[in-house]
Amino acid sequence: MIAPAGIVWLASFPKSGNTWFRIFLANLAAGENGPADINMLDERGGIASSRHEFEAATMLDSSLLSHDDIDGLRPRVYEHIAGEAREQRWIKVHDAYTALPDGEPMLGRSARAAIYLVRDPRDVAVSLSHHNNIPIDSAIARMNDRGSAFSRKPKDLAQQLRQKLLGWSGHAASWIDQMDVPVHVVRYEALRADPMAHFSAALVFAGRPATNDAIARAIRHADFSELQRQEREKGFAERQSRSAPFFRSGRVGGWQDVLSAEQVARIEGAHAPMMYRLGYSMPGGRSPCKPVGL
């Protein structure tokens, strides 16, 4: 079966397993006996916030445009990409699902489907702190801020376009509740516990099934020990400067050994309704509901 051509969004709040998923896809597409190069991932689909891709599609100098001007053009960029696609493109996106002033989705309506990866926000806080080389308290503040965004400094021309995040809960709600693109929610913790089952389900949802042997091989090649080996030997192009290694343990529940009680309370206090909705355990013994999409 040939996967239908077009865009599949691989969406997540930062540090929720998006890159791991992309590396799995890269190895699935390669189908080689050895692991794919972690520094060749852009050729497998790219990222929605790529300034280079925006300029190539619009033939405009983005440095002359405001963030809002760029947002207004982004739907046309994705229509162009979808129209040119001759195969399925899984495109990474950290933007929240937002609308332009006229109501049009900033990501347009050309995508076929979306996989939304979600991770326990307490583990996200720890990982985001390492990734951005900032204190954990600062990472929590960003996750709790509905006005947070990546690459929004007015004087620094970042390689990526501004990405509105809406905070952790706002980000999740924006993707899960939107009605424009069929969405399949995958919890990072479920992927770690049973990668065969949950990678397979995501592929089927996206119309890109694969054999069990091919999926198992891609999972082996995307193992964290392999990713750490490659990063040690040749670095990782997407790693933030001055940050800790991009590929750490990938451990589930590591926050319990790191966060203070006050930090946990700040996260749970800000995100309890969405954590409960997504099935994350909460204090007081309250049982979470069945996770969305699982």
Side-chain angles (χ1 to χ4, degrees):
M1 177 179 177
I2 299 175
I7 294 174
V8 175
W9 297 124
L10 190 54
S12 74
F13 194 86
K15 306 312 294 177
S16 300
N18 201 312
T19 301
W20 180 39
F21 203 114
R22 289 168 61 219
I23 292 172
F24 162 78
L25 290 172
N27 279 288
L28 185 68
E32 303 288 347
N33 291 327
D37 188 331
I38 61 173
N39 289 305
M40 298 292 287
L41 299 180
D42 283 347
E43 296 180 4
R44 308 293 181 180
I47 181 167
S49 57
S50 169
R51 186 177 296 277
H52 171 75
E53 188 134 30
F54 174 88
E55 294 188 340
T58 62
M59 300 184 71
L60 295 172
D61 181 350
S62 63
S63 69
L64 302 176
L65 304 174
S66 70
H67 290 311
D68 289 344
D69 289 338
I70 291 173
D71 283 355
L73 291 167
R74 287 178 68 175
R76 306 288 84 76
V77 172
Y78 307 125
E79 287 175 2
H80 171 76
I81 292 172
E84 293 289 311
R86 296 294 176 266
E87 58 186 14
Q88 199 168 83
R89 285 192 62 176
W90 293 65
I91 300 181
K92 174 180 177 177
V93 55
H94 283 322
D95 299 84
Y97 197 90
T98 59
L100 300 171
D102 64 359
E104 182 177 23
M106 194 272 291
L107 293 172
R109 293 189 172 90
S110 56
R112 294 187 52 259
I115 303 297
Y116 187 72
L117 289 162
V118 65
R119 185 182 186 186
D120 189 320
R122 295 162 292 199
D123 276 332
V124 171
V126 177
S127 187
L128 191 63
S129 169
H130 284 280
H131 180 68
N132 286 347
N133 195 27
I134 57 176
I136 288 176
D137 285 332
S138 298
I140 294 172
R142 293 184 185 184
M143 293 172 62
N144 293 359
D145 179 8
R146 282 192 58 84
S148 62
F150 273 1
S151 305
R152 65 177 178 182
K153 293 180 179 179
K155 294 183 179 180
D156 296 332
L157 190 64
Q159 293 184 354
Q160 294 186 31
L161 306 174
R162 180 186 63 178
Q163 301 147 74
K164 295 179 180 177
L165 299 178
L166 307 186
W168 184 83
S169 290
H171 194 281
S174 76
W175 277 97
I176 294 170
D177 294 335
Q178 58 80 28
M179 302 296 288
D180 298 313
V181 185
V183 62
H184 176 74
V185 180
V186 181
R187 294 203 317 166
Y188 174 81
E189 294 78 12
L191 271 182
R192 294 291 287 161
D194 191 348
M196 174 61 80
H198 294 282
F199 277 124
S200 297
L203 292 173
V204 170
F205 178 81
R208 200 248 187 260
T211 66
N212 287 342
D213 287 346
I215 295 171
R217 181 174 57 242
I219 291 171
R220 287 197 305 274
H221 291 169
D223 186 83
F224 270 73
S225 62
E226 168 60 23
L227 308 184
Q228 292 166 344
R229 182 192 67 78
Q230 289 197 38
E231 185 175 11
R232 281 195 307 271
E233 292 182 359
K234 54 190 174 185
F236 182 45
E238 298 180 25
R239 172 179 156 180
Q240 298 278 324
S241 61
R242 299 180 300 168
S243 70
F246 189 96
F247 299 106
R248 299 172 57 245
S249 66
R251 179 185 170 195
V252 171
W255 62 270
Q256 297 175 80
D257 300 328
V258 179
L259 299 183
S260 69
E262 188 274 335
Q263 290 169 332
V264 172
R266 285 175 61 200
I267 296 170
E268 294 177 346
H271 304 295
M274 184 56 72
M275 291 176 67
Y276 182 72
R277 183 178 176 188
L278 292 169
Y280 290 111
S281 61
M282 295 291 293
R286 185 172 62 169
S287 298
C289 61
K290 182 180 179 182
V292 173
L294 297 177

